[in-house]
Every structure is written in structure tokens, then in C-alpha cells.
């Protein structure tokens, strides 16, 4: 079993910054990709993702303001969120795609419970 735990959410004013952290633990062989998603109303949307080799991808709405990074040794992923806007208010979820068994190539997907980010004046 794999556990995914996020931290770092909170209340911030527009223009402020927050840094979210996520750590995966348990029966992990090798993490393939990690990402942050968010959900405000209805659909969950991709915020940013990063591959094992550090290739990143961002939603247009956060490009230039958010920076995703990861520490492979710690099975951790982070997102630095700057210039926050009220529309960034959402529950933020960490996503992990990982190999469990080093002898096969099956990838498994795991989600954290989420951490709330609220941006209000």
C-alpha cells in the first residue's frame, strides 16, 4: 500500500505565496510521475506535473506563478505558488504514479486527501 500526504495549505491574501508539500511512502519501487491537481467546483483540474527526470508541465492559468519540483530521494513533490489570486482557491490534491513491484512494469495511481488553499482579501 502507498500513502500520499499533503501539507502546506492555508489562508492567504491575493498576491501572497504558499508552498505545498507532498510525500509518498509505503510499497514504492520507483515513482514515475507526480502532480498537483485542484478542485474548486465540480471537475478536478491539473495544476502542474513533473516526471522522474524533471520535465514539467503547467496549466495555463498558473504558468509563470507556480513552480513544481520534486525530491526523488524523499519521494516528495512540492509546488511553490506565488502571486496567488482568489481564483486559485481550491482543494489541492497530490497525485503519484508509481511502480510497486520492481519485477514488473505496472503503474499504479494514488491520491492524497487534499489540502485547502483559500485566497481572500
Amino acid at each position: 500500500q502507498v500513502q500520499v500526504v499533503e501539507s502546506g495549505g492555508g489562508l492567504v491574501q491575493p498576491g501572497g505565496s504558499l508552498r505545498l508539500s507532498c510525500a509518498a511512502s509505503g510499497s514504492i519501487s520507483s515513482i514515475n510521475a507526480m502532480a498537483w491537481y485542484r478542485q474548486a467546483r465540480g471537475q478536478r483540474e491539473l495544476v502542474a506535473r513533473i516526471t522522474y527526470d524533471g520535465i514539467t508541465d503547467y496549466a495555463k492559468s498558473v504558468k509563470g506563478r507556480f513552480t513544481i519540483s520534486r525530491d526523488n530521494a524523499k519521494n516528495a513533490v512540492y509546488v511553490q505558488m506565488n502571486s496567488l489570486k482568489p481564483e486559485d482557491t481550491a482543494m489541492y490534491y497530490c497525485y503519484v504514479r508509481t511502480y510497486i513491484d520492481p519485477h514488473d512494469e505496472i503503474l499504479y495511481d494514488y491520491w492524497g486527501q487534499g489540502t485547502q488553499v483559500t485566497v481572500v482579501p
Side-chain angles (χ1 to χ4, degrees):
Q1 190 67 303
V2 174
Q3 296 78 42
V4 178
V5 179
E6 305 102 332
S7 63
L11 185 68
V12 66
Q13 292 184 334
S17 298
L18 281 175
R19 184 177 187 250
L20 305 183
S21 300
C22 168
S25 61
S27 303
I28 296 170
S29 171
S30 175
I31 293 180
N32 176 261
M34 305 182 85
W36 288 96
Y37 284 74
R38 66 187 180 187
Q39 186 167 11
R41 292 176 297 275
Q43 200 169 359
R44 189 171 292 189
E45 63 172 0
L46 174 69
V47 175
R49 59 186 164 206
I50 185 167
T51 66
Y52 182 87
D53 296 326
I55 297 171
T56 59
D57 185 28
Y58 295 91
K60 287 183 183 178
S61 59
V62 306
K63 214 170 220 181
R65 300 187 297 122
F66 291 12
T67 302
I68 190 170
S69 60
R70 64 186 282 178
D71 184 333
N72 291 333
K74 296 181 179 179
N75 290 330
V77 65
Y78 313 94
V79 62
Q80 177 66 41
M81 306 186 296
N82 298 327
S83 303
L84 282 161
K85 305 175 181 180
E87 51 263 44
D88 295 317
T89 295
M91 184 70 78
Y92 283 70
Y93 296 91
C94 180
Y95 163 82
V96 175
R97 172 162 281 193
T98 183
Y99 298 99
I100 298 298
D101 187 338
H103 303 295
D104 67 41
E105 295 186 349
I106 299 174
L107 285 165
Y108 296 84
D109 297 332
Y110 295 92
W111 293 89
Q113 293 297 308
T115 184
Q116 178 68 36
V117 171
T118 303
V119 185
V120 292

